[in-house]
Amino acid sequence: MATSRLQFSLLLFFGALLTSTTGSSQGGDGPSTVDSVTPALYGSVINGDEGKYQEDWWTSDGWSGGLEKLSFSDTYEDDVFMSLEGRVIVPDKDYLIKMDVKRPETVFFRVGYSERRKYYDGTGGGFIPFHMHPFELRKDLHLDIGHFYLEAGLDIPDKPSITAAYEHRFKDGDKSSTEWGAVTLNGTTRNIFPSFKSIDEEVDILRIKVDHAIGGIYVIDTLQYERYNADITKFEEERNLDTQSVETIKVNESNDHDAFFNTFYLEKQFNKRFFWSMGYLFTHLDGSSGFHMQTLPFGPDPFDKAWTAQRISVDREAHVINSSIRIGPYANVHFYGGIQAETNETNGDTDAVLTETDFGGTAVSPEAVISTQSKKDGLEETAGIRYTGLVYTTAYVEGKWVQSGTDLSETEVEDGVLGFRRQTDAEVNREQYSFGINTSPFRNSTFSVRYREGRRNNDYNHVADTEPGYSAFITDQTINKDDVSVRWTLRPASMLQWSLSYRFLTVEMETRSDTGASGSILSGAYEANVYSTGFTLTPHSKIYFTGRFSYHDAETTSFQNNIPSVLTFKGDVFEMLLTSGFAVNRHTNLNVEYLFSRSENFENYSSDGLPFGLNNKRNGVLASLSRSIGEKIVIGLRYAYYRYDEENIREVDNYEAHLFGAELEFKF
């Protein structure tokens, strides 16, 4: 399927190129654009984990090449301007084809196709007490991600502007999954066997947009239809090394929907101090799915599953309307505010046969009819003030408030008998307040500070519940967030600019439940300090240096509930990027880049769970040299060295990579 798309796009591209080069051209009357073609050849030598390298850098091991860039533009009769751009690199499936045609103040036409391959590593988890290397999938894991678009429109002065567009997006291939299978050794079981998903996903989009100014009011209406289809198959394997038995779990999911969107927007600038806008969004979605889960061999182990859903359907309709104003300045004060209302109704139904084994190894196959209805109403308000009366200083304060309510009904009937019913009324209230100052007290210095405070409360009232349990026992949640950021930029000399920033972020969640102790408990907390600095140095017109350094110190805690495998996570990450450019002469340029990152947050907690976190180091050096030969030819050479070292799972992900590249640009 992807091959046919590419063939069509290549025919379209080169057909347009042939037409353009044989048509009647007016030469230099159009925009000044240099036409060029750049063939290229790339190679790499990898020592270590090739899958990890390919996942990190989105490129394959070995040789690749093709056209790095092809560009063409010209102006024809009646001022018709056409531009073409392309790139084809194989076998990496790095494709880009674009063509734009326009006649000023009349019509335009655009078409394009792009595709890129994203790679994934098939290494599973590590468990140190097993004294063995992590399992690896002996499979080439990659997704081909592509986008095709076609757009045409009328753009005539003083007339409505009309645009019609079609898009096709797709993903096709296999990717790794972190939902790993179980491995048992010496009676100990851990989920460390790698798994993967096979994905075939497509979406087609049709869009019509009309915009026009009527009596000083600018109006836009956008109508969009979307058709989505996806087939996803997950493969998971469980291995018992004590009994040498293997169990596979295969899950097939098919999803498709038809969605309709209409967006209406209008705005008016009544005078230089008063602006008003309004918008409305209508959404309707009809979707259906299929589901089949199979365990092989099936039984006699308890809870082996062979679930099948003959029908899964969802219907959703939403209306959103908003309005906003901006007033000022009055005495150096600007006011702005807005309000948005939303209503959203969703209905879902499922018919399924849930075949599974019980504790005795006997298969049972209840037929389940599951129904869900949800209705949400929400209101959001925003208000802010900005003051510019101080010299070279802007101060602002802003508040946001959100109130929403959801009525959720869930029902499951098994073999004609009510098995589960829950009716929940949920209310959400959010508040966020921001305050900040941007100032430049000195000509070569700027300073900014911002403080943001957020509060969210979720209240759950379970009106009816035949099976109290997770997550229905939670009755109330409060989330508090504080965020402070400071930035200082200094230019002590014309050749040097330096910046320093700091951010402190803390989040706390308190939870009340029916089953816990009276009062609330601290169920989760996150705290982070982020320090960063950067500079740009230009000591000479022919040379420059840039640098960026950042350090991230974070800690996440969770309510343990006497479970020893729930630990406090401490993150410690340092990153650095240095670049330099040097114009050797008017024909030769040299660029060098160095990157380094390090994380130290590995915790070996194998006694009650799994090791988590990473201790790793990443180094990279990239050098490129370009040389002009006359005015028509440019030669480019590049070399890169990347090294990745990971300490915690027997160094199976480590690699060293040498990359080489050569490009030859011909200008016309």
Side-chain angles (χ1 to χ4, degrees):
M1 188 69 176
T3 303
S4 62
R5 299 189 197 101
L6 176 61
Q7 291 172 343
F8 169 75
S9 300
L10 287 173
L11 288 173
L12 178 68
F13 175 70
F14 289 111
L17 180 61
L18 179 63
T19 302
S20 65
T21 56
T22 58
S24 176
S25 169
Q26 294 180 357
D29 294 341
S32 177
T33 302
V34 177
D35 305 322
S36 66
V37 58
T38 308
L41 180 65
Y42 306 111
S44 61
V45 178
I46 314 301
N47 298 314
D49 190 340
E50 295 179 5
K52 177 64 175 174
Y53 159 77
Q54 292 182 155
E55 182 180 63
D56 286 347
W57 301 103
W58 286 41
T59 184
S60 62
D61 182 21
W63 293 97
S64 63
L67 285 179
E68 175 61 35
K69 185 178 181 181
L70 187 150
S71 64
F72 170 85
S73 65
D74 209 341
T75 302
Y76 297 84
E77 295 179 358
D78 299 324
D79 293 327
V80 175
F81 175 74
M82 184 179 74
S83 65
L84 294 168
E85 182 180 344
R87 180 175 68 249
V88 179
I89 303 295
V90 293
D92 286 342
K93 283 201 170 184
D94 183 3
Y95 309 131
L96 173 66
I97 301 168
K98 296 194 302 183
M99 180 177 71
D100 290 1
V101 180
K102 60 183 177 181
R103 182 180 180 184
E105 300 184 342
T106 309
V107 298
F108 63 87
F109 172 80
R110 303 184 183 101
V111 62
Y113 176 84
S114 64
E115 185 176 341
R116 190 71 192 271
R117 176 165 288 184
K118 178 174 174 57
Y119 295 89
Y120 296 88
D121 186 22
T123 304
F127 186 55
I128 295 175
F130 281 178
H131 301 290
M132 60 189 300
H133 283 278
F135 293 94
E136 291 199 41
L137 296 173
R138 302 301 178 185
K139 184 176 179 61
D140 183 19
L141 299 175
H142 62 263
L143 279 179
D144 294 328
I145 304 171
H147 177 214
F148 172 80
Y149 68 88
L150 185 66
E151 187 177 56
L154 297 173
D155 190 12
I156 303 173
D158 302 322
K159 301 292 184 181
S161 177
I162 303 174
T163 303
Y166 167 74
E167 290 185 59
H168 177 80
R169 298 177 181 270
F170 68 90
K171 294 180 182 178
D172 185 25
D174 302 319
K175 71 181 295 289
S176 56
S177 171
T178 54
E179 297 181 24
W180 292 332
V183 175
T184 300
L185 179 64
N186 299 326
T188 300
T189 301
R190 293 292 187 270
N191 287 18
I192 60 173
F193 196 87
S195 60
F196 72 96
K197 294 180 180 180
S198 180
I199 298 174
D200 183 5
E201 179 182 278
E202 294 183 334
V203 59
D204 294 280
I205 300 171
L206 292 172
R207 183 187 307 111
I208 298 177
K209 177 183 176 183
V210 180
D211 61 274
H212 189 46
I214 306 172
I217 301 177
Y218 184 55
V219 182
I220 304 175
D221 190 80
T222 304
L223 181 68
Q224 179 170 308
Y225 167 76
E226 176 181 293
R227 173 66 176 173
Y228 173 85
N229 179 270
D231 291 305
I232 301 173
T233 303
K234 179 187 175 185
F235 299 89
E236 183 178 310
E237 187 173 308
E238 298 183 354
R239 293 191 178 186
N240 190 319
L241 303 181
D242 297 332
T243 63
Q244 297 300 307
S245 61
V246 176
E247 186 175 75
T248 60
I249 301 172
K250 182 179 178 181
V251 180
N252 299 99
E253 298 179 41
S254 61
N255 304 283
D256 62 78
H257 71 241
D258 294 282
F260 174 81
F261 309 89
N262 190 77
T263 305
F264 177 76
Y265 172 82
L266 57 86
E267 65 177 42
K268 181 175 177 60
Q269 185 81 48
F270 288 91
N271 53 54
K272 65 179 183 180
R273 292 183 175 178
F274 185 73
F275 172 85
W276 170 79
S277 68
M278 188 198 79
Y280 169 73
L281 169 65
F282 170 76
T283 303
H284 183 82
L285 182 146
D286 273 315
S288 62
S289 300
F291 178 88
H292 181 65
M293 180 178 185
Q294 186 175 16
T295 304
L296 294 175
F298 181 72
D301 294 337
F303 307 118
D304 281 357
K305 295 177 175 57
W307 290 2
T308 300
Q310 295 96 339
R311 180 179 66 92
I312 303 174
S313 62
V314 61
D315 178 81
R316 177 176 178 266
E317 186 168 296
H319 303 264
V320 181
I321 186 169
N322 63 51
S323 181
S324 64
I325 60 171
R326 186 174 68 241
I327 303 173
Y330 291 97
N332 299 310
V333 178
H334 304 253
F335 304 89
Y336 62 91
I339 187 169
Q340 176 170 293
E342 173 188 4
T343 180
N344 187 327
E345 188 168 347
T346 305
N347 297 289
D349 295 286
T350 300
D351 291 339
V353 177
L354 308 180
T355 303
E356 62 180 57
T357 53
D358 59 19
F359 279 108
T362 303
V364 293
S365 301
E367 184 174 348
V369 178
I370 304 168
S371 178
T372 303
Q373 294 84 37
S374 172
K375 184 176 181 180
K376 176 185 175 182
D377 296 306
L379 190 66
E380 179 177 343
E381 307 93 12
T382 302
I385 300 175
R386 186 175 297 269
Y387 180 66
T388 58
L390 301 176
V391 178
Y392 305 120
T393 300
T394 299
Y396 61 90
V397 60
E398 180 184 88
K400 291 185 177 181
W401 303 266
V402 177
Q403 310 87 39
S404 67
T406 303
D407 295 330
L408 176 63
S409 175
E410 304 165 278
T411 304
E412 180 178 349
V413 176
E414 293 188 2
D415 293 333
V417 179
L418 180 65
F420 168 75
R421 180 173 179 268
R422 180 178 295 160
Q423 180 73 40
T424 303
D425 294 338
E427 292 185 2
V428 177
N429 290 279
R430 297 204 312 259
E431 299 177 357
Q432 179 178 285
Y433 303 97
S434 302
F435 168 77
I437 295 177
N438 299 314
T439 184
S440 181
F442 308 103
R443 188 180 65 176
N444 297 327
S445 176
T446 60
F447 177 80
S448 64
V449 59
R450 188 201 68 187
Y451 171 71
R452 178 170 292 168
E453 175 187 85
R455 301 289 181 264
R456 172 171 177 152
N457 178 259
N458 304 325
D459 181 74
Y460 306 102
N461 179 24
H462 304 292
V463 180
D465 192 358
T466 61
E467 280 190 25
Y470 187 82
S471 61
F473 64 84
I474 297 176
T475 59
D476 184 88
Q477 288 179 321
T478 301
I479 303 171
N480 299 319
K481 177 180 177 181
D482 293 281
D483 187 355
V484 181
S485 60
V486 181
R487 181 178 176 85
W488 180 34
T489 302
L490 180 65
R491 194 179 184 97
S494 59
M495 69 175 66
L496 176 64
Q497 179 173 304
W498 173 73
S499 65
L500 178 66
S501 63
Y502 168 71
R503 184 184 182 192
F504 173 74
L505 175 64
T506 178
V507 181
E508 290 186 350
M509 176 186 289
E510 295 183 353
T511 302
R512 294 177 183 267
S513 66
D514 290 332
T515 59
S518 60
S520 61
I521 60 170
L522 183 63
S523 54
Y526 173 80
E527 184 176 300
N529 295 276
V530 183
Y531 311 85
S532 61
T533 184
F535 70 89
T536 300
L537 175 64
T538 312
H540 191 273
S541 60
K542 293 186 176 182
I543 189 170
Y544 72 88
F545 302 92
T546 67
R548 174 141 184 105
F549 310 84
S550 68
Y551 175 70
H552 189 155
D553 178 17
E555 180 177 289
T556 302
T557 59
S558 179
F559 178 62
Q560 189 182 30
N561 199 27
N562 297 318
I563 300 175
S565 59
V566 180
L567 300 177
T568 296
F569 174 80
K570 295 183 178 180
D572 181 1
V573 180
F574 173 76
E575 296 178 318
M576 176 176 65
L577 176 63
L578 300 173
T579 62
S580 175
F582 177 51
V584 180
N585 53 50
R586 70 187 188 94
H587 299 291
T588 308
N589 291 287
L590 175 65
N591 294 280
V592 179
E593 178 181 298
Y594 173 69
L595 64 89
F596 173 79
S597 66
R598 183 219 67 192
S599 68
E600 292 186 0
N601 48 43
F602 175 68
E603 293 286 346
N604 179 19
Y605 207 71
S606 301
S607 58
D608 293 286
L610 282 170
F612 67 95
L614 289 175
N615 283 355
N616 64 12
K617 292 181 181 179
R618 189 187 303 274
N619 287 272
V621 179
L622 173 64
S624 61
L625 177 70
S626 65
R627 170 75 178 178
S628 299
I629 301 177
E631 298 181 354
K632 301 293 185 180
I633 299 176
V634 179
I635 298 175
L637 300 174
R638 65 174 70 174
Y639 168 76
Y641 170 78
Y642 298 116
R643 176 168 178 166
Y644 179 78
D645 296 293
E646 192 175 295
E647 302 174 4
N648 45 300
I649 52 173
R650 293 180 175 262
E651 303 178 352
V652 295
D653 280 339
N654 293 4
Y655 64 80
E656 283 188 328
H658 300 269
L659 284 74
F660 313 89
E663 300 172 356
L664 185 60
E665 180 182 7
F666 297 94
K667 300 178 181 179
F668 304 101

